[in-house]
Amino acid sequence: MALIVQKYGGTSVGSVERIKNVARRAIKWADAGHQVVVVVSAMSGETNRLIAMAREIQPDPDPRELDVVASTGEQVSIGLLAMALKAQGREARSYTGFQVGIRTNSAFTKARIESIDQTRMRADLDAGMIVVVAGFQGVDDAGNITTLGRGGSDTSGVALAAALGADECLIYTDVDGVYTTDPRVVPEASKLSTITFEEMLEMASLGSKVLQTRSVEFAGKYRVRLRVLSSLTPWDIPLEQEMRSGTLITFEEDQTMERAVVSGIAFARDEAKITVVRVPDRPGIAYQILSAVGGANIDVDMIVQNQSVDGYTDFSFTVGRGDYARTLDILKTSIQAHIGAKDIIGDPKACKVSIVGVGMRSHAGVASKMFRTLSEEGINIQMISTSEIKVSVLIEEKYLELAVRALHKAFDLDAQAS
Ligand code: ADP
Ligand code: ASP
Ligand code: MG
């Protein structure tokens, strides 16, 4: 008997019929003798609808109250799923994050899980029930409802699996695994049967929303066996087949396998670039610029400082597009005059495209092949950043699809090529 945590995303619980199917699938696992904890997201579109309503009332919603509103979508899903399980003759119980003791810090809208109380779940599992837990939400020490950031139900699933010492965490979604890139953008993308933890972490943090980055971090920290698979297959496919389907996130590189140099391509659409023009090139300038931005809780990603000319330099960095206007404003009002910069300019329509692969460690010339491919398409690179297993470039957003497709082909990732 194994303990399995299954997480179903928005599309997978997007209708009453799909919720019934989730119940059938969970019962199939329970009937095979496994203990099953199911984590669910809000029905597809629901979290967006809730946030949009909040914004109609307060354009920049109060974070505590936004979490009160945004967390409700998951509560509907858990109640409906528990009913579906009972209607199909299986004992089940639903829990919100608060009820089941998912403790987080107080960073509303992007809270981090700190601890999970297993007591009620264990008792229910031992009594033969299927436990249904709301994803995306928790409670802080003061009893406030918190949410874990968009896509946070993945993290709820993996964190529950870690806390319970589950044998496997299955992330059921609307694609049948992790692909070489988003199959909605590149139809030729191929499914990976395994991906290393490091690569998955890079892919997620560089924009592949198939898994929330923190869920991958959790899996790494607690060595959770994690698999991404489809919820849209017939619910009654044989268990043995389902257990081997999708993509397994692995912790050891399989040395015997012939690995591609580049395993995947990730992209993030909503980037913006800011340039502080002609600042005196002296110690403390980068610190002053970035501490003003960081102080307003704005995350900075790529950073470039040019070679100085006549004691002056340009300093560029990227932020999320949602923070663009605020960043410009902060720099113009409180920093520009202070550091003696000539101007603050920017481009809110940038995007980041990254190639990822552990194979890069042992291969030279990967970055230059990427740059050549982009130049052949006439795409100008605005910024570059690298690590041991990835190269990222910032480009104009209108070239995103073209860049991803060209790179996918150039690095032999198209399905028919492999
Ligand atoms: P869920 O609601 O199940 O959490 P998401 O929409 O959050 O689903 O994530 C699944 C989506 O992630 C897919 O529909 C796909 O468009 C997108 N995606 C992005 N990159 C990848 C990738 N490399 N492999 C598979 N899917 C990806
Ligand atoms: N419902 C939340 C969202 O849409 C959490 C999730 O689906 O993972 O972001
Ligand atoms: Mg998701």
Side-chain angles (χ1 to χ4, degrees):
M1 182 182 71
L3 199 167
I4 305 291
V5 174
Q6 308 187 335
K7 176 264 170 176
Y8 293 88
T11 316
S12 312
V13 295
S15 66
V16 167
E17 203 37 55
R18 289 212 169 139
I19 290 177
K20 289 182 184 169
N21 262 330
V22 168
R24 292 186 187 107
R25 199 182 290 273
I27 290 173
K28 175 177 74 177
W29 282 79
D31 280 348
H34 302 304
Q35 293 189 317
V36 181
V37 174
V38 184
V39 177
V40 278
S41 295
M43 296 169 79
S44 57
E46 181 61 7
T47 311
N48 287 345
R49 190 184 73 87
L50 294 165
I51 294 172
M53 269 199 296
R55 290 218 170 104
E56 269 182 50
I57 292 182
Q58 255 191 326
D60 191 12
D62 178 271
R64 179 186 184 279
E65 306 312 329
L66 182 59
D67 278 358
V68 170
V69 173
S71 62
T72 59
E74 273 71 12
Q75 188 167 336
V76 173
S77 300
I78 55 168
L80 291 175
L81 178 58
M83 285 178 208
L85 288 161
K86 290 181 207 213
Q88 293 174 35
R90 193 85 199 189
E91 267 317 302
R93 198 168 277 162
S94 70
Y95 292 105
T96 64
F98 173 68
Q99 289 174 312
V100 84
I102 300 180
R103 291 256 164 218
T104 70
N105 64 11
S106 303
F108 297 114
T109 75
K110 47 179 175 219
R112 283 176 179 270
I113 296 177
E114 289 178 342
S115 67
I116 297 180
D117 182 1
Q118 299 178 37
T119 329
R120 296 182 81 168
M121 289 186 283
R122 285 265 176 228
D124 290 350
L125 289 171
D126 290 343
M129 288 191 215
I130 292 180
V131 176
V132 182
V133 180
F136 183 52
Q137 53 175 266
V139 60
D140 73 3
D141 284 342
N144 299 302
I145 292 172
T146 55
T147 66
L148 311 178
R150 298 309 304 269
S153 297
D154 297 330
T155 302
S156 309
V158 179
L160 279 167
L164 291 162
D167 296 274
E168 190 154 337
C169 180
L170 303 173
I171 304 282
Y172 289 89
T173 184
D174 56 6
V175 282
D176 61 354
V178 178
Y179 278 69
T180 45
T181 192
D182 189 337
R184 289 181 210 287
V185 170
V186 182
E188 295 81 14
S190 21
K191 198 189 78 184
L192 301 163
S193 57
T194 62
I195 182 167
T196 69
F197 157 74
E198 282 177 290
E199 288 170 327
M200 192 63 242
L201 190 61
E202 288 282 12
M203 290 282 282
S205 66
L206 294 168
S208 297
K209 70 168 188 165
V210 63
L211 285 176
Q212 197 197 34
T213 309
R214 270 192 212 153
S215 72
V216 188
E217 286 169 358
F218 253 100
K221 190 162 171 200
Y222 298 100
R223 292 289 154 135
V224 176
R225 197 176 151 87
L226 184 61
R227 184 182 294 276
V228 177
L229 69 172
S230 174
S231 72
L232 304 178
T233 52
W235 69 269
D236 56 354
I237 63 166
L239 202 69
E240 297 68 40
Q241 191 183 333
E242 191 165 313
M243 284 166 101
R244 286 193 308 271
S245 67
T247 303
L248 181 70
I249 286 72
T250 59
F251 294 101
E252 266 103 46
E253 262 176 69
D254 186 346
Q255 304 295 350
T256 59
M257 242 169 87
E258 183 69 37
R259 274 270 169 199
V261 180
V262 170
S263 302
I265 299 175
F267 52 84
R269 286 179 193 279
D270 296 328
E271 303 276 313
K273 182 172 102 167
I274 309 255
T275 300
V276 182
V277 183
R278 213 173 137 79
V279 271
D281 190 12
R282 58 176 154 77
I285 291 292
Y287 168 67
Q288 287 182 60
I289 295 170
L290 295 182
S291 63
V293 178
N297 234 333
I298 295 168
D299 289 332
V300 169
D301 182 13
M302 302 167 102
I303 302 171
V304 169
Q305 182 177 323
N306 285 348
Q307 174 71 36
S308 68
V309 178
D310 303 331
Y312 288 90
T313 184
D314 292 342
F315 185 88
S316 298
F317 59 94
T318 62
V319 295
R321 193 167 304 155
D323 290 323
Y324 176 71
R326 205 154 59 94
T327 310
L328 271 188
D329 189 51
I330 290 168
L331 293 180
K332 281 193 166 152
T333 53
S334 61
I335 292 293
Q336 186 178 348
H338 190 63
I339 60 173
K342 184 171 169 221
D343 202 359
I344 316 278
I345 57 171
D347 174 9
K349 287 220 165 108
C351 68
K352 184 169 68 169
V353 176
S354 311
I355 54 173
V356 175
V358 289
M360 277 184 217
R361 284 197 180 116
S362 47
H363 283 82
V366 182
S368 70
K369 181 168 177 181
M370 179 187 201
F371 304 156
R372 188 182 72 221
T373 306
L374 294 172
S375 80
E376 280 166 3
E377 299 294 340
I379 301 171
N380 188 37
I381 300 170
Q382 303 181 5
M383 280 190 198
I384 299 166
S385 86
T386 63
S387 80
E388 229 191 344
I389 64 162
K390 71 117 202 257
V391 183
S392 301
V393 294
L394 191 80
I395 58 173
E396 254 187 279
E397 194 189 24
K398 67 178 181 196
Y399 294 125
L400 184 130
E401 274 85 5
L402 178 63
V404 174
R405 289 205 185 106
L407 291 169
H408 198 268
K409 198 169 177 28
F411 285 100
D412 296 327
L413 297 173
D414 282 3
Q416 54 267 45
S418 59

